[in-house]
Amino acid sequence: MTTQPRVVIVGAGIVGCSLAEELTARGWTAVTVLDQGPLFATGGSTSHAPGLVFQANSSKTMTEFARYTVEKFSGLTLDGQWCFRQVGGLEVATTAERWSDLHRKAGWAASWGVDARLLDAAECAERYPLLDRERVLGGFYVPTDGLAKAVRAAEAQARLASARGATFVGNTKVVDIEQAGGRVTGVVTESGRLDADIVVSCAGFWGPAVGALVGQPVPLVPLAHQYVTTTPLAALAGTIDEAAEAVRPILRHQDADLYFREHVDRIGIGSYAHRPMRASLEGLGPSANWQDAGRQPSMLAFTPEDFAPSWQDAVDLLPPLAGAKVGDGFNGIFSFTTDGMPLLGESRHVKGFWLAEAVWVTHSAGVARAVAQWLVDGQPEVDVHECDVNRFEDFQLAPDYVHERGCQNFVEVYDVIHPLQPMESPRPLRTSPFQGRQRELGAYFLEGGGWERPHWFAANEPLVDGYGIPGRNDWAARYWSPIAGAEALHTREKVALYDMTPLKRLEISGPGALGFLQRMTTNNLDKPVGAVTYTLLLDQSGGVRSDLTVARLADDRFQVGANSALDTDWLLWHAPADGSVHIRDITGGTCCIGVWGPLARDLVQPLTGTDFSHTGFGYFKAKHAYLGNVPVTALRVSYVGELGWEIYTSAEFGARLWDTLWQAGQHLGVIAAGRSAFNSLRLEKGYRLSGVDMTTEHDPYESGLGFAVRMDAGDFLGRAALAARSPDTVSRKLTALTIDDPDDVVLGKEPVYLGGSPAGYVTSAAYGYTIAKGIAYAWIPSEASTPGIDVEIDYLGKRVAATVAEEPLFDPKMTHIRR
């Protein structure tokens, strides 16, 4: 008989109560939920949250969380009172830019399976009569959105969990979390101690204090957000039953950073238009009698001067407000993170310590289900890599970084954000040794993972006229230049240098290194020294966590090209405890230049006595060599589909490596090329991008990566789940689409229509300059993935004609790479 784990949840807000219900529904009933405040209005963010649930989001995962929240809360009641009221959600546009963005949002809804529609101004006014229809260009309407009564929903779920055996204790502050042997063993409160095998922090903006008890960083910042309730409006008098509370859609006026909801005959107005107001947690802890004081600890004093401009914006949109005024207001504390996403998962530092933090009511039940599945089943059904608490690099945990990026996310919460738009500060943080040379060439930098990445170079502008690069519309043209097209074509014709330093590099060594990698990945790595292998990391269900390039540099030493900190985290979690395997992140101490193009060998070979010929240095091989005076490790791999090498050296030699290659390539017409050209070239070759093209929700066969799976190479993580699968059994496929009209460029996440109905969504997209067509990779049903089938992609409300294509789109016989 298996003993149930003893689970202590810290925080009885909407997330903690939802998690207790989800765990007990799965048979884990040894659950205790603690809160420092009184149950169930505990004094945190849940207790004052206005309860707006808007489902459509640029993130598929966050949309799924919200959709499940709607589904679950719709079935809850508390003593006959509703917990969720499906009044619908309406976002209005008062600017052309917002109206275009709402078309993009409608695309997300179609991609992720949310029923939604675009409305004209008259239809918006029909659903929300208080609107000044002359100010509105149109709206985005989701009929299944609505209002959650967060405290009711929390208590309703707590009752369900309690009936199954869970215990809820209020007015009990956690003062310590005990550990032994690197894992939690108990929770100490002001009232006593509880044994615990698992502790889950659901403490909201108090999360960093709970994390500090075990040394776990919780990178969120508590910020105050203004909310007011008006005095009664004559226009609403007698129209709404008090028990119903609201009948019209929840409304967002994002052009003014405002949202609105009804409170019977009053309107509640939330504003993000003010300065970020960081809340100090000193002295903010709730006491047992905060209700007697008339104000929750998470509800700070209202600052009317901050709200004054928002009031005028609200009256401009809803003229009947002019007959009312602000009746009550407060500055309510919420959690903001550096990337706007929740913090979920188990601490890498202390086993058994889990987090479900920075979660708003909108996503609460969905997050709880995912964490419960993670705990009970070993993994959630939905991909959660965007939310995993271990996704951060060390620098992203710096308090100043967390504060600045968190505040910026507050400022931008309702902004129209381009997919490539970086935050401007703090920058630069991570720079390659080549940056000085790149600046001299007029590099245009965008940020990724803290790295300054050149996307194109002004020095290459003279090349544009010779190629006739097609232009783009305003939205697609942001963070793009026709120079990128010239760089891509020049790479195909001559040779270019690409800064690949931001590629994460791990050194995995020790006597158990080979066996460990064999167990963790899908391909056969038991090859001679000098072999390079493309392989996959899977989860236990066979979903693709990541793809890796593994170079065997010695019998017991491998260099692994990975994708993110989550790859490091996954490998560290599974590394043997006997010390036979050492995992070291070597990214910061090394650098890399991709030398690619038909003249790559002509550039590199004269610099070295090592044989770089095709027979002497075959494809997917690695060698140590000297280029001039620089010691390098060269891998003959190419993610642009041309002859060439990734050339690595230590950071101290970086500038010298660049200069050596640059000077040697002048007579060959060498250029520096950027990330924008790289993305176009890799899509022409059909190379996937982990976390974008495929996630844990997709297996290798669906993803077109079955070639990287060797079922006969021994057991590996995820192998059992793949045993009954093959390319012939899949119901969906990652499929290449081409767009014939050069004026049509899509960017990613757009819905794909088949026979007039949404059937999938775009993952990666770019213009293919070599094939002179737009490219979009998309998930669509396998029966529709036959080359030649016509589909449509909805791009900002325009249906773009596309065709399923045979991949790879460029050089299917691999003659360019293998020459």
Side-chain angles (χ1 to χ4, degrees):
M1 180 176 178
T2 303
T3 303
Q4 276 193 21
R6 297 161 296 184
V7 181
V8 174
I9 297 172
V10 182
I14 191 64
V15 180
C17 291
S18 297
L19 178 57
E21 196 284 327
E22 293 286 340
L23 286 173
T24 56
R26 288 165 172 76
W28 281 24
T29 56
V31 175
T32 302
V33 184
L34 305 175
D35 202 287
Q36 60 184 346
L39 303 175
F40 280 91
T42 61
S45 299
T46 296
S47 304
H48 65 70
L52 283 66
V53 179
F54 287 93
Q55 296 167 83
N57 191 289
S58 63
S59 164
K60 182 176 181 290
T61 297
M62 296 297 277
T63 300
E64 182 58 36
F65 286 163
R67 180 166 46 196
Y68 181 73
T69 300
V70 167
E71 176 187 326
K72 185 175 186 181
F73 287 6
S74 294
L76 294 176
T77 58
L78 184 72
D79 298 329
Q81 297 178 300
W82 59 271
C83 293
F84 185 80
R85 190 158 175 78
Q86 207 159 56
V87 295
L90 176 63
E91 300 179 37
V92 294
T94 59
T95 65
E97 182 180 39
R98 181 69 60 182
W99 184 225
S100 179
D101 190 58
L102 292 186
H103 283 80
R104 184 167 64 123
K105 186 164 286 187
W108 297 337
S111 290
W112 315 144
V114 174
D115 178 30
R117 67 204 69 156
L118 291 168
L119 308 179
D120 62 26
E123 291 171 314
C124 291
E126 181 182 346
R127 283 175 170 79
Y128 208 96
L130 301 185
L131 281 170
D132 179 357
R133 61 177 293 176
E134 299 302 319
R135 293 182 58 83
V136 174
L137 299 178
F140 171 68
Y141 177 63
V142 180
T144 54
D145 286 346
L147 287 169
K149 295 293 284 187
V151 175
R152 280 185 203 165
E155 185 171 355
Q157 293 178 97
R159 289 185 185 181
L160 292 171
S162 296
R164 303 183 189 116
T167 301
F168 288 77
V169 184
N171 300 317
T172 303
K173 185 175 181 178
V174 173
V175 296
D176 195 16
I177 298 174
E178 295 180 343
Q179 310 172 48
R183 67 172 305 116
V184 299
T185 57
V187 173
V188 180
T189 76
E190 292 176 331
S191 305
R193 182 188 180 281
L194 292 85
D195 289 331
D197 304 300
I198 294 169
V199 176
V200 188
S201 178
C202 302
F205 58 79
W206 280 293
V210 177
L213 297 177
V214 296
Q216 168 63 40
V218 182
L220 64 80
V221 57
L223 296 172
H225 153 63
Q226 292 197 304
Y227 190 79
V228 306
T229 306
T230 69
T231 55
L233 270 68
L236 296 181
T239 65
I240 306 174
D241 178 79
E242 189 163 343
E245 193 173 320
V247 296
R248 296 173 184 86
I250 49 177
L251 176 69
R252 283 204 284 199
H253 177 25
Q254 293 181 306
D255 287 322
D257 295 314
L258 296 173
Y259 63 80
F260 306 84
R261 59 152 293 179
E262 293 171 329
H263 293 277
V264 190
D265 61 350
R266 294 166 168 81
I267 295 291
I269 308 171
S271 172
Y272 292 99
H274 53 83
R275 61 193 166 90
M277 294 183 279
R278 179 161 189 178
S280 172
L281 299 187
E282 293 295 324
L284 204 60
S287 61
N289 63 346
W290 68 255
Q291 290 163 319
D292 298 333
R295 180 72 77 177
Q296 300 176 27
S298 58
M299 297 171 67
L300 306 183
F302 184 58
T303 51
E305 65 277 8
D306 287 305
F307 192 74
S310 292
W311 175 254
Q312 187 56 56
D313 287 334
V315 172
D316 289 343
L317 183 71
L318 307 179
L321 290 178
K325 58 183 180 180
V326 173
D328 186 28
F330 64 91
N331 295 348
I333 304 175
F334 288 91
S335 302
F336 282 79
T337 59
T338 59
D339 56 7
M341 302 297 282
L343 307 172
L344 312 179
E346 187 174 10
S347 168
R348 184 192 306 162
H349 311 288
V350 182
K351 292 183 178 180
F353 184 76
W354 287 69
L355 295 99
E357 300 287 18
V359 181
W360 292 7
V361 173
T362 303
H363 308 104
S364 56
V367 163
R369 179 177 67 167
V371 174
Q373 290 171 340
W374 211 339
L375 283 163
V376 177
D377 304 325
Q379 64 187 56
E381 291 178 6
V382 300
D383 174 68
V384 292
H385 81 275
E386 297 170 302
C387 312
D388 194 314
V389 70
N390 297 303
R391 66 188 181 270
F392 301 105
E393 302 283 352
D394 286 345
F395 76 91
Q396 293 171 318
L397 301 175
D400 287 349
Y401 182 94
V402 172
H403 176 257
E404 186 169 353
R405 288 288 170 101
C407 288
Q408 190 60 29
N409 267 308
F410 179 93
V411 170
E412 295 179 352
V413 68
Y414 278 174
D415 285 1
V416 177
I417 303 293
H418 191 278
L420 292 175
Q421 181 176 332
M423 286 196 175
E424 294 304 324
S425 181
R427 288 178 63 191
L429 278 171
R430 306 174 88 181
T431 59
S432 81
F434 319 130
Q435 196 194 47
R437 298 295 187 260
Q438 291 166 346
R439 289 194 178 279
E440 292 171 2
L441 295 171
Y444 183 86
F445 291 98
L446 295 176
E447 183 206 31
W451 288 99
E452 295 297 317
R453 297 184 175 191
H455 275 241
W456 63 82
F457 293 85
N460 296 325
E461 187 170 9
L463 299 175
V464 174
D465 290 342
Y467 289 118
I469 307 299
R472 294 190 176 188
N473 62 37
D474 290 345
W475 181 252
R478 296 186 190 184
Y479 306 102
W480 174 84
S481 169
I483 295 172
E487 291 174 357
L489 291 171
H490 189 90
T491 303
R492 292 272 186 246
E493 295 174 1
K494 294 186 179 180
V495 63
L497 307 184
Y498 288 80
D499 184 356
M500 302 302 293
T501 300
L503 175 69
K504 180 167 282 294
R505 291 174 291 286
L506 305 176
E507 182 184 81
I508 298 181
S509 60
L514 174 61
F516 170 65
L517 286 170
Q518 289 283 73
R519 291 190 302 274
M520 292 301 298
T521 70
T522 61
N523 214 328
N524 181 20
L525 303 180
D526 191 6
K527 299 175 180 177
V529 172
V532 179
T533 306
Y534 178 81
T535 188
L536 306 175
L537 289 178
L538 305 183
D539 63 19
Q540 64 188 37
S541 70
V544 180
R545 284 189 60 94
S546 188
D547 60 345
L548 310 176
T549 302
V550 181
R552 190 172 193 177
L553 302 182
D555 285 340
D556 59 354
R557 181 166 57 89
F558 298 81
Q559 179 174 302
V560 176
N563 286 290
S564 74
L566 288 176
D567 295 344
T568 312
D569 177 68
W570 184 252
L571 292 169
L572 286 170
W573 264 114
H574 290 87
D578 60 7
S580 62
V581 176
H582 307 285
I583 300 172
R584 188 166 66 99
D585 188 332
I586 61 173
T587 311
T590 55
C591 56
C592 178
I593 298 176
V595 183
W596 291 312
L599 301 182
R601 184 175 288 113
D602 297 320
L603 192 161
V604 174
Q605 186 62 80
L607 296 172
T608 181
T610 301
D611 185 0
F612 271 62
S613 69
H614 179 59
T615 55
F617 197 153
Y619 187 56
F620 262 65
K621 300 297 181 183
K623 283 188 178 185
H624 294 297
Y626 289 91
L627 296 186
N629 296 311
V630 180
V632 302
T633 299
L635 274 58
R636 191 175 168 193
V637 294
S638 171
Y639 288 94
V640 301
E642 293 293 338
L643 169 68
W645 293 264
E646 289 179 357
I647 299 178
Y648 297 87
T649 191
S650 59
E652 63 189 310
F653 295 112
R656 185 58 179 263
L657 175 62
W658 181 279
D659 289 344
T660 298
L661 293 168
W662 185 256
Q663 292 164 12
Q666 288 306 297
H667 73 287
L668 301 171
V670 70
I671 65 167
R675 189 76 182 180
S676 186
F678 176 89
N679 193 51
S680 170
L681 295 169
R682 68 105 180 164
L683 283 178
E684 289 182 334
K685 280 299 292 180
Y687 294 140
R688 277 61 167 151
L689 180 60
S690 179
V692 175
D693 294 318
M694 67 280 186
T695 69
T696 56
E697 296 180 12
H698 312 107
D699 74 30
Y701 304 116
E702 296 171 321
S703 305
L705 299 174
F707 66 88
V709 177
R710 294 289 184 269
M711 296 295 283
D712 58 353
D715 196 19
F716 56 81
L717 183 59
R719 184 184 185 280
L722 298 183
R725 305 185 206 176
S726 74
D728 298 326
T729 65
V730 302
S731 60
R732 59 183 176 176
K733 287 184 180 180
L734 183 62
T735 304
L737 310 177
T738 57
I739 303 167
D740 289 336
D741 190 335
D743 292 331
D744 292 330
V745 178
V746 301
L747 299 179
K749 301 188 178 182
E750 297 89 353
V752 177
Y753 284 78
L754 184 66
S757 299
Y761 59 90
V762 173
T763 57
S764 294
Y767 188 79
Y769 301 100
T770 315
I771 67 171
K773 291 182 180 180
I775 304 170
Y777 269 77
W779 283 102
I780 61 174
S782 56
E783 63 267 21
S785 63
T786 302
I789 289 181
D790 293 328
V791 299
E792 291 181 312
I793 302 171
D794 189 306
Y795 176 72
L796 301 181
K798 176 186 176 183
R799 293 293 175 89
V800 173
T803 305
V804 175
E806 190 82 46
E807 61 169 326
L809 303 170
F810 173 78
D811 189 28
K813 296 183 178 180
M814 301 286 283
T815 56
H816 284 243
I817 288 179
R818 298 180 183 276
R819 51 186 164 190

